[in-house]
Amino acid sequence: MRNEEVGSAVDLLGAVTQISGSSSSDPDILYQFIQSQELVARADAALNLRALWAKGDPDHDPVFAYHPPGTIEDLVTYWERMVGVYSDSGTGLIDVEVQAFSPEDARRINQFIYDESSEMINRLSAIAREDATRYARDELETTVEQVKVARQALTRFRNETQIVDPEASIQSQMGILSSLQAQLAETLIDLDILLQTSSRQDDPRIIQTRRRIEVIEVRINEEQQKLGLGDSGGATDEDAFANLVGEYERLLVDREFAEQSFAASRTAYDAAVAEARRQTRYLAAHVQPTLAESAKYPQVYQALGLVGLFSFLLWAILALSAYALRDRR
């Protein structure tokens, strides 16, 4: 089992982040998988294990040959006899030895075990990558929705008020109000001059100037109402530019905050994806499945020798027991 982790530039700068971990070692997981009922069932479906291991003819070889059809439990028990798995905890290497009644069948089973193990490791890697990026992706989707809602609210405000930028509109209104106040001041000066130069109150010029002053004051009052200044005169607060600007700025802040959150979550998602891609787990075969040239099992002479030895020991024990009983009599 190889687990290759490449450090990122962020890690080299000291901002090390751990995205995922493993509570069980990969060789232990693989060791259990090779002896699992799931793998035995897959091998039987793909290779017909019952037929391969019954080639020894159970009628002539009842000890070593498989007795078909049998249950899946019987097949798993026979698998444990025919497939040896040896794990070295120090080096992390796993050796697999497969027995069959022909070298080709043994290599086919061994190759199948390797292919299925590689696929299982790939599934574990895919699950690890998915776990590493799932939360970042969920956060990214949430911030995308927040940006959409904030932009839709701002668009709806502009459509309802028919104002694209209240700040520009209020600057324009302030310009109009300043101009009217300047005209009012100029007209008041003209009235003072007329009052000093003319002793008649019914002078048409004085009347016209006072009328002009009244009109300008009315216009100033109306412009102030639009800006939310002075007496509303029956106008609602929603019509005031100050309230519109406040609502616009609130929506603008919401949009900016949503966009900043989206940028941060997008950066976190890209970092999670990059980190998940850098951590690679894969199965490497240091020795490919080989083809035997001579049969190693069954070891006939060794088996006969052991049977003869145990038979002799059993006979000796029985004989000694018989002599011991006869001596007691």
Side-chain angles (χ1 to χ4, degrees), residues 20 36 41 79 99 129 140 144 151 163 182 248:
S20 63
S36 65
W79 174 280
Q99 300 177 26
R129 288 193 297 268
L140 178 61
V144 168
R151 290 181 175 177
I163 298 175
Y248 174 79

Side-chain angles (χ1 to χ4, degrees), residues 149-219:
V149 171
R151 290 181 175 177
Q152 289 173 357
L154 190 59
T155 301
R156 184 166 54 251
F157 170 83
R158 288 170 173 170
N159 291 333
E160 292 175 355
T161 60
Q162 298 296 315
I163 298 175
V164 177
D165 188 355
E167 294 181 356
S169 299
I170 200 170
Q171 290 178 0
S172 176
Q173 291 297 126
M174 289 299 297
I176 295 174
L177 183 60
S178 298
S179 177
L180 290 174
Q181 289 175 343
Q183 293 180 24
L184 178 60
E186 183 180 353
T187 306
L188 289 174
I189 293 173
D190 293 340
L191 178 61
D192 292 338
I193 295 174
L194 289 174
L195 290 175
Q196 292 177 2
T197 58
S198 177
S199 59
R200 295 176 54 189
Q201 293 296 326
D202 57 350
D203 190 337
R205 294 177 300 172
I206 295 177
I207 296 174
Q208 184 178 4
T209 303
R210 287 177 175 173
R211 186 175 299 173
R212 177 180 176 85
I213 291 174
E214 293 176 358
V215 172
I216 294 175
E217 287 177 346
V218 171
R219 177 57 59 188

Side-chain angles (χ1 to χ4, degrees), residues 8 12 21 35 37-38 80 110 114 132 142 190 208 220 233 249 276 279 295 299 308:
S8 63
L12 296 178
Q35 301 180 91
Q37 178 177 320
E38 178 186 359
E80 294 175 353
N110 209 334
Y114 175 73
T142 300
D190 293 340
Q208 184 178 4
I220 289 175
E249 289 180 347
Q279 296 182 356
Q299 299 175 348

Side-chain angles (χ1 to χ4, degrees), residues 41-289:
R42 291 183 184 178
D44 184 45
L47 304 176
N48 194 4
L49 288 179
R50 290 179 170 87
L52 293 181
W53 281 336
K55 288 182 179 180
D57 193 354
D59 295 333
H60 296 84
D61 189 359
V63 177
F64 296 101
Y66 178 75
H67 297 262
T71 63
I72 186 62
E73 288 78 13
D74 297 332
L75 192 59
V76 171
T77 302
Y78 194 78
W79 174 280
E80 294 175 353
R81 288 179 51 190
M82 303 296 282
V83 178
V85 186
Y86 311 97
S87 176
D88 188 348
S89 59
T91 61
L93 298 178
I94 295 180
D95 294 331
V96 179
E97 179 181 315
V98 178
Q99 300 177 26
F101 293 95
S102 69
E104 292 79 9
D105 292 342
R107 186 170 65 175
R108 286 176 59 196
I109 296 173
N110 209 334
Q111 185 64 47
F112 179 82
I113 293 173
Y114 175 73
D115 295 339
E116 288 295 316
S117 299
S118 298
E119 183 178 350
M120 187 270 293
I121 295 302
N122 291 335
R123 289 199 303 270
L124 290 180
S125 299
I127 293 173
R129 288 193 297 268
E130 177 64 20
D131 289 340
T133 58
R134 183 174 66 251
Y135 298 108
R137 184 173 61 252
D138 293 342
E139 183 66 21
L140 178 61
E141 293 175 354
T142 300
T143 55
V144 168
E145 290 300 323
Q146 291 176 350
V147 170
K148 290 181 179 179
V149 171
R151 290 181 175 177
Q152 289 173 357
L154 190 59
T155 301
R156 184 166 54 251
F157 170 83
R158 288 170 173 170
N159 291 333
E160 292 175 355
T161 60
Q162 298 296 315
I163 298 175
V164 177
D165 188 355
E167 294 181 356
S169 299
I170 200 170
Q171 290 178 0
S172 176
Q173 291 297 126
M174 289 299 297
I176 295 174
L177 183 60
S178 298
S179 177
L180 290 174
Q181 289 175 343
Q183 293 180 24
L184 178 60
E186 183 180 353
T187 306
L188 289 174
I189 293 173
D190 293 340
L191 178 61
D192 292 338
I193 295 174
L194 289 174
L195 290 175
Q196 292 177 2
T197 58
S198 177
S199 59
R200 295 176 54 189
Q201 293 296 326
D202 57 350
D203 190 337
R205 294 177 300 172
I206 295 177
I207 296 174
Q208 184 178 4
T209 303
R210 287 177 175 173
R211 186 175 299 173
R212 177 180 176 85
I213 291 174
E214 293 176 358
V215 172
I216 294 175
E217 287 177 346
V218 171
R219 177 57 59 188
I220 289 175
N221 187 31
E222 291 177 355
E223 296 299 329
Q224 287 178 342
Q225 290 177 15
K226 292 181 180 179
L227 294 174
L229 304 175
D231 186 11
S232 61
T236 60
D237 293 338
E238 289 78 3
D239 297 331
F241 261 89
N243 295 326
L244 295 178
V245 171
E247 180 67 15
Y248 174 79
E249 289 180 347
R250 184 186 67 80
L251 295 174
L252 201 61
V253 169
D254 291 343
R255 189 191 68 177
E256 291 176 354
F257 178 78
E259 290 176 348
Q260 291 175 1
S261 300
F262 168 75
S265 60
R266 180 63 191 223
T267 302
Y269 175 73
D270 293 340
V273 172
E275 187 70 16
R277 290 177 178 175
R278 278 193 294 269
Q279 296 182 356
T280 305
R281 178 192 290 113
Y282 61 93
L283 182 64
H286 63 288
V287 177
Q288 294 292 335

